[in-house]
Amino acid sequence: MVVVTRLRFGKRNLGLLSPLEEDVLKILWRGGGGYKVREVHSILRKRRKVALTSIAVILDRLYQKKIAARKIKTARGGEYYIYFCRSDRRNFQESVIEKTVDKLIDSFGDIAVTYFNERFSKRRKQ
Amino acid sequence: MTIACFAGLVIDPDKLLLIISSFSFAIAALLALRKFILPTKLKVGLIYGHLVFLFFPFVLLTTDVTCGVACMPCANNVPSLVALALPVTVAISTLAGLFVIPAFYTLSSRRELHNRPVINFVKEYSRKMGIQMPKLYLIDKAKPLAFSFRSLKSAIFISIGMFEVLNRKEIEAVILHELAHIKQRSSMLNFSASLMKIFSPLSLVAKFHDSGKEEAEADSFASRMQKTGTYLRSAKKKIEAFGD
Protein backbone atom coordinates (compact mmCIF):
# COMPACT_ATOMS: atom_id res chain seq x y z
CA MET A 1 0.00 0.00 0.00
CA VAL A 2 1.32 3.44 -0.90
CA VAL A 3 0.94 6.19 1.69
CA VAL A 4 1.50 9.72 0.45
CA THR A 5 2.36 11.83 3.46
CA ARG A 6 3.12 15.21 1.88
CA LEU A 7 3.21 16.35 -1.69
CA ARG A 8 2.73 20.10 -1.93
CA PHE A 9 3.08 21.99 -5.17
CA GLY A 10 1.40 25.29 -4.32
CA LYS A 11 2.17 28.52 -6.14
CA ARG A 12 4.64 29.73 -3.51
CA ASN A 13 6.07 26.37 -2.62
CA LEU A 14 8.91 24.92 -4.67
CA GLY A 15 8.26 21.50 -3.22
CA LEU A 16 11.24 21.09 -0.90
CA LEU A 17 11.36 24.40 0.91
CA SER A 18 9.35 26.28 3.49
CA PRO A 19 8.13 29.79 2.50
CA LEU A 20 10.83 31.45 4.64
CA GLU A 21 13.53 29.17 3.20
CA GLU A 22 12.35 30.10 -0.27
CA ASP A 23 12.48 33.84 0.53
CA VAL A 24 16.01 33.49 1.92
CA LEU A 25 17.08 31.48 -1.11
CA LYS A 26 15.70 34.16 -3.45
CA ILE A 27 18.02 36.67 -1.77
CA LEU A 28 21.00 34.33 -2.13
CA TRP A 29 20.14 33.90 -5.83
CA ARG A 30 20.74 37.60 -6.34
CA GLY A 31 24.40 36.61 -6.32
CA GLY A 32 27.24 38.96 -5.53
CA GLY A 33 29.90 37.90 -3.12
CA GLY A 34 27.47 36.16 -0.80
CA TYR A 35 25.51 37.42 2.19
CA LYS A 36 26.03 37.65 5.95
CA VAL A 37 23.20 36.52 8.25
CA ARG A 38 22.59 40.15 9.24
CA GLU A 39 22.49 41.27 5.61
CA VAL A 40 19.84 38.67 4.70
CA HIS A 41 17.91 39.69 7.82
CA SER A 42 17.97 43.40 6.99
CA ILE A 43 16.71 42.72 3.44
CA LEU A 44 13.92 40.41 4.57
CA ARG A 45 12.90 42.58 7.53
CA LYS A 46 11.63 45.23 5.13
CA ARG A 47 9.08 42.75 3.76
CA ARG A 48 8.11 40.64 6.76
CA LYS A 49 8.53 40.50 10.52
CA VAL A 50 11.27 37.99 11.14
CA ALA A 51 13.84 37.47 13.90
CA LEU A 52 17.58 37.37 13.26
CA THR A 53 17.72 33.93 14.94
CA SER A 54 15.16 32.57 12.45
CA ILE A 55 17.30 33.74 9.52
CA ALA A 56 20.40 32.13 11.06
CA VAL A 57 18.43 28.88 11.53
CA ILE A 58 17.12 28.96 7.94
CA LEU A 59 20.56 29.67 6.43
CA ASP A 60 22.06 26.85 8.48
CA ARG A 61 19.24 24.54 7.36
CA LEU A 62 19.87 25.43 3.71
CA TYR A 63 23.55 24.68 4.32
CA GLN A 64 22.73 21.32 5.93
CA LYS A 65 20.48 20.50 2.94
CA LYS A 66 23.46 21.36 0.71
CA ILE A 67 21.41 24.01 -1.09
CA ALA A 68 23.59 26.84 0.24
CA ALA A 69 27.31 26.91 0.87
CA ARG A 70 29.19 29.02 3.38
CA LYS A 71 32.69 30.12 4.20
CA ILE A 72 34.21 31.70 7.25
CA LYS A 73 35.45 35.25 6.84
CA THR A 74 37.63 37.06 9.30
CA ALA A 75 37.45 40.79 9.73
CA ARG A 76 38.45 43.25 12.43
CA GLY A 77 35.24 42.53 14.31
CA GLY A 78 35.88 38.78 14.32
CA GLU A 79 34.69 35.78 12.36
CA TYR A 80 31.42 35.37 10.51
CA TYR A 81 29.84 33.23 7.80
CA ILE A 82 29.22 34.29 4.22
CA TYR A 83 26.41 32.28 2.63
CA PHE A 84 25.91 31.80 -1.08
CA CYS A 85 23.97 29.48 -3.38
CA ARG A 86 25.45 26.25 -4.63
CA SER A 87 23.49 26.45 -7.88
CA ASP A 88 21.50 29.08 -9.77
CA ARG A 89 17.71 29.22 -9.77
CA ARG A 90 17.27 27.12 -12.92
CA ASN A 91 19.63 24.33 -11.79
CA PHE A 92 17.94 24.26 -8.40
CA GLN A 93 14.48 24.01 -9.96
CA GLU A 94 15.67 21.22 -12.22
CA SER A 95 17.05 19.30 -9.27
CA VAL A 96 13.73 19.78 -7.40
CA ILE A 97 11.84 18.41 -10.43
CA GLU A 98 14.26 15.49 -10.69
CA LYS A 99 13.88 14.62 -7.02
CA THR A 100 10.09 14.96 -7.19
CA VAL A 101 9.79 12.77 -10.30
CA ASP A 102 12.14 10.20 -8.71
CA LYS A 103 10.00 10.21 -5.57
CA LEU A 104 6.80 9.75 -7.58
CA ILE A 105 8.34 6.86 -9.52
CA ASP A 106 9.64 5.31 -6.27
CA SER A 107 6.20 5.62 -4.67
CA PHE A 108 3.93 4.68 -7.58
CA GLY A 109 6.27 2.64 -9.81
CA ASP A 110 4.91 1.66 -13.25
CA ILE A 111 1.72 3.71 -12.82
CA ALA A 112 3.77 6.92 -12.57
CA VAL A 113 5.97 5.97 -15.56
CA THR A 114 2.94 5.12 -17.73
CA TYR A 115 1.24 8.36 -16.67
CA PHE A 116 4.30 10.45 -17.57
CA ASN A 117 4.53 8.71 -20.96
CA GLU A 118 0.87 9.39 -21.74
CA ARG A 119 1.17 12.95 -20.52
CA PHE A 120 4.25 13.70 -22.60
CA SER A 121 2.82 12.12 -25.76
CA LYS A 122 -0.43 14.12 -25.27
CA ARG A 123 1.62 17.29 -24.92
CA ARG A 124 3.69 16.51 -28.01
CA LYS A 125 0.48 16.00 -30.06
CA GLN A 126 -0.82 19.39 -28.93
CA MET B 1 45.90 -28.13 30.16
CA THR B 2 47.96 -27.00 33.18
CA ILE B 3 50.44 -25.24 30.89
CA ALA B 4 47.59 -23.54 29.02
CA CYS B 5 46.07 -22.56 32.37
CA PHE B 6 49.28 -20.90 33.57
CA ALA B 7 50.18 -19.43 30.20
CA GLY B 8 46.77 -17.83 30.29
CA LEU B 9 46.89 -16.36 26.85
CA VAL B 10 45.61 -18.76 24.24
CA ILE B 11 44.35 -17.02 21.14
CA ASP B 12 41.58 -19.16 19.72
CA PRO B 13 39.59 -18.16 16.59
CA ASP B 14 36.70 -16.75 18.69
CA LYS B 15 38.97 -14.41 20.59
CA LEU B 16 40.80 -13.44 17.42
CA LEU B 17 37.51 -12.59 15.74
CA LEU B 18 36.48 -10.48 18.73
CA ILE B 19 39.81 -8.63 18.73
CA ILE B 20 39.76 -7.97 14.98
CA SER B 21 36.12 -6.79 15.02
CA SER B 22 36.78 -4.57 18.02
CA PHE B 23 39.76 -2.88 16.36
CA SER B 24 37.76 -2.53 13.13
CA PHE B 25 34.93 -0.74 14.98
CA ALA B 26 37.50 1.49 16.71
CA ILE B 27 39.00 2.46 13.35
CA ALA B 28 35.54 2.97 11.80
CA ALA B 29 34.55 5.31 14.65
CA LEU B 30 37.79 7.25 14.21
CA LEU B 31 37.27 7.56 10.45
CA ALA B 32 33.69 8.75 10.98
CA LEU B 33 35.00 11.38 13.39
CA ARG B 34 37.54 12.60 10.85
CA LYS B 35 35.35 12.58 7.77
CA PHE B 36 31.94 13.92 8.65
CA ILE B 37 30.42 17.05 10.11
CA LEU B 38 28.46 15.56 12.97
CA PRO B 39 26.32 16.91 15.79
CA THR B 40 28.24 17.29 19.08
CA LYS B 41 26.32 14.54 20.88
CA LEU B 42 27.02 12.03 18.11
CA LYS B 43 30.67 13.09 17.99
CA VAL B 44 31.08 12.49 21.72
CA GLY B 45 29.25 9.17 21.35
CA LEU B 46 31.70 8.16 18.63
CA ILE B 47 34.65 9.13 20.84
CA TYR B 48 33.29 6.93 23.63
CA GLY B 49 32.59 4.16 21.12
CA HIS B 50 36.11 4.43 19.76
CA LEU B 51 37.61 4.22 23.26
CA VAL B 52 35.48 1.20 24.22
CA PHE B 53 36.42 -0.73 21.07
CA LEU B 54 40.07 0.31 21.37
CA PHE B 55 40.43 -0.79 25.01
CA PHE B 56 38.30 -3.93 24.77
CA PRO B 57 40.92 -6.26 23.18
CA PHE B 58 43.55 -5.24 25.75
CA VAL B 59 41.17 -5.71 28.68
CA LEU B 60 40.02 -9.02 27.20
CA LEU B 61 43.57 -10.34 26.91
CA THR B 62 44.53 -9.04 30.36
CA THR B 63 41.46 -10.70 31.87
CA ASP B 64 42.35 -13.89 30.03
CA VAL B 65 45.90 -13.87 31.42
CA THR B 66 44.64 -13.06 34.93
CA CYS B 67 42.07 -15.87 34.79
CA GLY B 68 44.77 -18.20 33.46
CA VAL B 69 47.35 -17.32 36.11
CA ALA B 70 44.72 -17.63 38.85
CA CYS B 71 43.48 -20.86 37.23
CA MET B 72 39.92 -19.58 37.30
CA PRO B 73 37.16 -21.11 35.18
CA CYS B 74 36.99 -17.95 33.05
CA ALA B 75 40.37 -18.80 31.45
CA ASN B 76 39.87 -19.39 27.73
CA ASN B 77 36.10 -19.28 28.22
CA VAL B 78 35.10 -16.56 25.76
CA PRO B 79 31.55 -15.73 27.04
CA SER B 80 32.68 -15.37 30.67
CA LEU B 81 35.76 -13.40 29.56
CA VAL B 82 33.53 -10.96 27.64
CA ALA B 83 31.16 -10.71 30.62
CA LEU B 84 34.11 -9.71 32.81
CA ALA B 85 35.97 -7.56 30.30
CA LEU B 86 33.08 -5.46 29.01
CA PRO B 87 32.13 -3.62 32.23
CA VAL B 88 35.82 -3.01 32.97
CA THR B 89 36.30 -1.63 29.45
CA VAL B 90 33.29 0.70 29.79
CA ALA B 91 34.63 1.95 33.13
CA ILE B 92 38.13 2.57 31.76
CA SER B 93 36.75 4.22 28.60
CA THR B 94 34.51 6.53 30.60
CA LEU B 95 37.42 7.66 32.74
CA ALA B 96 39.67 8.03 29.68
CA GLY B 97 36.91 10.05 27.99
CA LEU B 98 37.20 12.68 30.71
CA PHE B 99 40.70 13.45 29.46
CA VAL B 100 40.40 12.53 25.80
CA ILE B 101 37.29 14.59 24.94
CA PRO B 102 38.68 17.98 26.04
CA ALA B 103 41.93 17.16 24.23
CA PHE B 104 39.93 16.18 21.12
CA TYR B 105 38.08 19.50 21.11
CA THR B 106 41.25 21.50 21.69
CA LEU B 107 43.08 19.70 18.89
CA SER B 108 40.18 19.71 16.43
CA SER B 109 39.38 23.42 16.95
CA ARG B 110 42.44 24.64 15.13
CA ARG B 111 40.93 28.06 14.74
CA GLU B 112 41.80 30.50 17.46
CA LEU B 113 39.46 33.42 17.98
CA HIS B 114 40.42 36.69 16.30
CA ASN B 115 37.65 38.83 17.72
CA ARG B 116 39.67 41.61 19.35
CA PRO B 117 36.90 43.06 21.57
CA VAL B 118 36.12 39.56 22.92
CA ILE B 119 39.80 38.78 23.51
CA ASN B 120 40.24 42.05 25.39
CA PHE B 121 37.12 41.40 27.43
CA VAL B 122 38.31 37.92 28.46
CA LYS B 123 41.78 39.30 29.26
CA GLU B 124 40.33 42.03 31.45
CA TYR B 125 37.96 39.78 33.40
CA SER B 126 40.52 36.96 33.79
CA ARG B 127 42.78 39.51 35.48
CA LYS B 128 39.95 40.80 37.67
CA MET B 129 38.99 37.25 38.68
CA GLY B 130 42.59 36.24 39.35
CA ILE B 131 42.64 33.38 36.87
CA GLN B 132 45.00 32.63 34.01
CA MET B 133 43.56 33.88 30.73
CA PRO B 134 41.93 30.92 28.97
CA LYS B 135 42.69 30.13 25.34
CA LEU B 136 39.84 31.11 23.04
CA TYR B 137 38.81 28.74 20.27
CA LEU B 138 36.30 29.12 17.48
CA ILE B 139 33.88 26.32 16.63
CA ASP B 140 32.69 26.07 13.03
CA LYS B 141 28.98 25.83 13.86
CA ALA B 142 26.04 28.11 13.08
CA LYS B 143 24.26 27.16 16.32
CA PRO B 144 25.15 29.65 19.04
CA LEU B 145 26.99 27.69 21.72
CA ALA B 146 29.81 28.16 24.18
CA PHE B 147 31.52 25.87 26.65
CA SER B 148 34.70 25.80 28.66
CA PHE B 149 37.20 23.28 29.98
CA ARG B 150 39.65 23.51 32.76
CA SER B 151 41.76 20.38 32.66
CA LEU B 152 45.47 20.95 32.11
CA LYS B 153 44.90 24.36 30.55
CA SER B 154 41.70 26.32 30.51
CA ALA B 155 39.92 27.07 27.26
CA ILE B 156 36.68 28.64 26.11
CA PHE B 157 35.07 27.42 22.89
CA ILE B 158 32.70 29.79 21.09
CA SER B 159 30.78 29.01 17.92
CA ILE B 160 30.58 31.39 14.96
CA GLY B 161 26.79 31.33 15.37
CA MET B 162 27.24 33.04 18.70
CA PHE B 163 28.65 36.15 17.03
CA GLU B 164 25.96 36.13 14.36
CA VAL B 165 22.90 35.84 16.57
CA LEU B 166 23.89 37.45 19.88
CA ASN B 167 24.68 41.11 20.42
CA ARG B 168 27.84 42.31 22.21
CA LYS B 169 26.31 42.47 25.69
CA GLU B 170 24.77 39.02 25.32
CA ILE B 171 28.11 37.55 24.19
CA GLU B 172 29.79 39.17 27.21
CA ALA B 173 27.16 37.63 29.50
CA VAL B 174 27.85 34.16 28.08
CA ILE B 175 31.63 34.66 28.41
CA LEU B 176 31.25 35.77 32.03
CA HIS B 177 29.19 32.62 32.65
CA GLU B 178 32.01 30.49 31.18
CA LEU B 179 34.70 32.38 33.12
CA ALA B 180 32.74 31.66 36.31
CA HIS B 181 32.84 27.94 35.42
CA ILE B 182 36.62 28.15 34.95
CA LYS B 183 36.94 29.93 38.30
CA GLN B 184 34.83 27.16 39.91
CA ARG B 185 37.45 24.67 38.62
CA SER B 186 34.68 22.20 37.94
CA SER B 187 33.75 22.80 34.32
CA MET B 188 35.56 19.61 33.38
CA LEU B 189 33.62 17.57 35.92
CA ASN B 190 30.41 19.30 34.97
CA PHE B 191 30.90 18.61 31.27
CA SER B 192 31.94 15.02 31.81
CA ALA B 193 29.08 14.35 34.21
CA SER B 194 26.56 15.57 31.66
CA LEU B 195 28.21 13.41 28.98
CA MET B 196 28.15 10.39 31.25
CA LYS B 197 24.42 10.88 31.73
CA ILE B 198 23.95 10.47 27.99
CA PHE B 199 26.50 7.87 27.01
CA SER B 200 27.69 5.84 29.91
CA PRO B 201 26.18 3.39 32.36
CA LEU B 202 28.37 5.12 34.92
CA SER B 203 25.80 7.92 34.93
CA LEU B 204 24.75 6.70 38.37
CA VAL B 205 28.19 7.72 39.64
CA ALA B 206 27.82 11.09 37.93
CA LYS B 207 24.87 11.89 40.18
CA PHE B 208 27.23 12.98 42.93
CA HIS B 209 27.81 16.14 40.95
CA ASP B 210 25.15 18.83 41.12
CA SER B 211 25.64 20.70 37.86
CA GLY B 212 22.42 22.69 38.34
CA LYS B 213 23.88 24.50 41.34
CA GLU B 214 27.03 25.39 39.41
CA GLU B 215 25.01 26.69 36.48
CA ALA B 216 22.98 28.88 38.83
CA GLU B 217 26.18 30.21 40.45
CA ALA B 218 27.73 30.95 37.04
CA ASP B 219 24.50 32.70 35.98
CA SER B 220 24.40 34.83 39.11
CA PHE B 221 28.09 35.73 38.67
CA ALA B 222 27.44 36.95 35.10
CA SER B 223 24.38 38.93 36.23
CA ARG B 224 26.32 40.45 39.15
CA MET B 225 29.15 41.56 36.87
CA GLN B 226 26.77 43.09 34.33
CA LYS B 227 24.50 44.46 37.07
CA THR B 228 21.55 42.93 35.21
CA GLY B 229 20.38 39.47 34.18
CA THR B 230 18.65 40.75 31.06
CA TYR B 231 21.48 39.98 28.63
CA LEU B 232 22.08 36.48 29.91
CA ARG B 233 18.35 35.74 29.77
CA SER B 234 17.99 37.03 26.22
CA ALA B 235 21.15 35.13 25.17
CA LYS B 236 19.70 31.89 26.57
CA LYS B 237 16.40 32.59 24.84
CA LYS B 238 18.15 33.01 21.48
CA ILE B 239 20.25 29.87 22.00
CA GLU B 240 17.12 27.87 22.86
CA ALA B 241 15.30 29.33 19.84
CA PHE B 242 17.98 27.92 17.56
CA GLY B 243 17.19 24.38 18.68
CA ASP B 244 19.44 21.38 17.90
Side-chain angles (χ1 to χ4, degrees):
Chain A
M1 195 178 86
V2 178
V3 180
V4 180
T5 50
R6 205 177 87 167
L7 279 173
R8 290 193 301 164
F9 296 101
K11 261 185 188 172
R12 277 183 54 78
N13 203 310
L14 286 175
L16 290 176
L17 304 171
S18 71
L20 186 56
E21 282 175 337
E22 200 183 319
D23 284 347
V24 169
L25 198 56
K26 276 177 187 164
I27 293 170
L28 297 186
W29 272 327
R30 290 180 188 178
Y35 291 86
K36 289 186 206 177
V37 174
R38 284 177 197 274
E39 285 170 346
V40 174
H41 179 243
S42 65
I43 294 169
L44 261 184
R45 205 174 44 178
K46 289 171 194 162
R47 276 186 268 150
R48 60 195 289 177
K49 202 183 163 192
V50 62
L52 179 69
T53 316
S54 309
I55 300 299
V57 171
I58 293 296
L59 281 166
D60 188 42
R61 208 179 285 162
L62 290 174
Y63 171 74
Q64 302 295 344
K65 285 182 180 175
K66 296 191 189 322
I67 296 169
R70 72 185 176 203
K71 40 184 186 188
I72 304 168
K73 285 255 180 182
T74 308
R76 269 178 64 204
E79 290 82 358
Y80 58 90
Y81 286 126
I82 284 282
Y83 285 91
F84 47 93
C85 260
R86 277 179 186 269
S87 55
D88 61 19
R89 195 184 183 115
R90 191 179 166 80
N91 282 339
F92 174 73
Q93 284 171 338
E94 276 174 8
S95 80
V96 170
I97 293 167
E98 194 183 324
K99 277 178 201 163
T100 312
V101 170
D102 284 350
K103 263 188 185 161
L104 286 170
I105 292 172
D106 285 348
S107 307
F108 300 105
D110 289 345
I111 301 169
V113 178
T114 316
Y115 177 81
F116 286 133
N117 268 335
E118 283 170 8
R119 189 68 196 258
F120 291 140
S121 53
K122 223 185 244 178
R123 215 179 162 132
R124 257 182 244 127
K125 277 173 198 167
Q126 282 171 359
Chain B
M1 175 65 193
T2 320
I3 296 164
C5 167
F6 279 103
L9 194 63
V10 178
I11 307 275
D12 59 30
D14 287 344
K15 265 186 254 171
L16 200 64
L17 189 70
L18 267 174
I19 290 166
I20 292 170
S21 342
S22 194
F23 276 130
S24 309
F25 281 123
I27 292 165
L30 201 63
L31 288 177
L33 273 167
R34 283 176 62 89
K35 289 271 178 197
F36 304 110
I37 303 163
L38 301 166
T40 312
K41 280 182 183 175
L42 189 59
K43 231 181 219 176
V44 174
L46 279 171
I47 297 172
Y48 269 120
H50 170 73
L51 291 174
V52 168
F53 289 120
L54 188 71
F55 290 144
F56 181 69
F58 298 106
V59 179
L60 186 82
L61 295 178
T62 313
T63 316
D64 197 13
V65 172
T66 313
C67 288
V69 170
C71 276
M72 283 157 72
C74 54
N76 295 319
N77 180 347
V78 176
S80 51
L81 274 177
V82 171
L84 278 171
L86 208 58
V88 178
T89 311
V90 172
I92 293 172
S93 308
T94 308
L95 291 174
L98 303 187
F99 297 97
V100 170
I101 290 164
F104 172 81
Y105 269 95
T106 314
L107 291 172
S108 61
S109 302
R110 288 189 197 108
R111 281 176 181 275
E112 283 194 37
L113 200 75
H114 291 105
N115 194 316
R116 200 32 67 192
V118 170
I119 295 170
N120 291 340
F121 181 82
V122 174
K123 199 184 271 180
E124 184 194 333
Y125 274 87
S126 305
R127 193 174 40 79
K128 277 183 187 169
M129 292 165 77
I131 54 172
Q132 202 186 9
M133 184 180 160
K135 276 213 153 206
L136 296 168
Y137 291 101
L138 195 72
I139 310 168
D140 182 6
K141 267 189 187 288
K143 182 183 162 65
L145 62 96
F147 54 88
S148 55
F149 292 139
R150 182 166 181 165
S151 48
L152 297 172
K153 257 191 154 186
S154 54
I156 297 179
F157 296 79
I158 305 169
S159 71
I160 295 177
M162 197 80 145
F163 298 107
E164 293 191 319
V165 174
L166 271 56
N167 64 36
R168 190 174 60 86
K169 282 281 177 191
E170 289 164 344
I171 293 168
E172 285 176 2
V174 174
I175 288 171
L176 284 169
H177 175 99
E178 294 308 326
L179 284 173
H181 277 313
I182 291 174
K183 176 88 174 166
Q184 285 165 350
R185 289 170 178 268
S186 52
S187 55
M188 172 75 190
L189 193 63
N190 185 10
F191 182 71
S192 303
S194 58
L195 288 180
M196 272 195 221
K197 276 178 195 159
I198 308 166
F199 294 107
S200 169
L202 289 188
S203 57
L204 288 172
V205 183
K207 274 186 183 164
F208 69 91
H209 181 67
D210 184 7
S211 59
K213 197 180 157 198
E214 267 176 16
E215 287 299 319
E217 277 172 16
D219 281 356
S220 82
F221 172 79
S223 306
R224 223 170 36 244
M225 288 292 118
Q226 288 194 312
K227 296 186 176 74
T228 172
T230 318
Y231 301 116
L232 191 64
R233 273 197 300 277
S234 65
K236 282 186 174 184
K237 220 172 167 182
K238 284 181 183 176
I239 293 167
E240 277 164 23
F242 208 97
D244 280 319

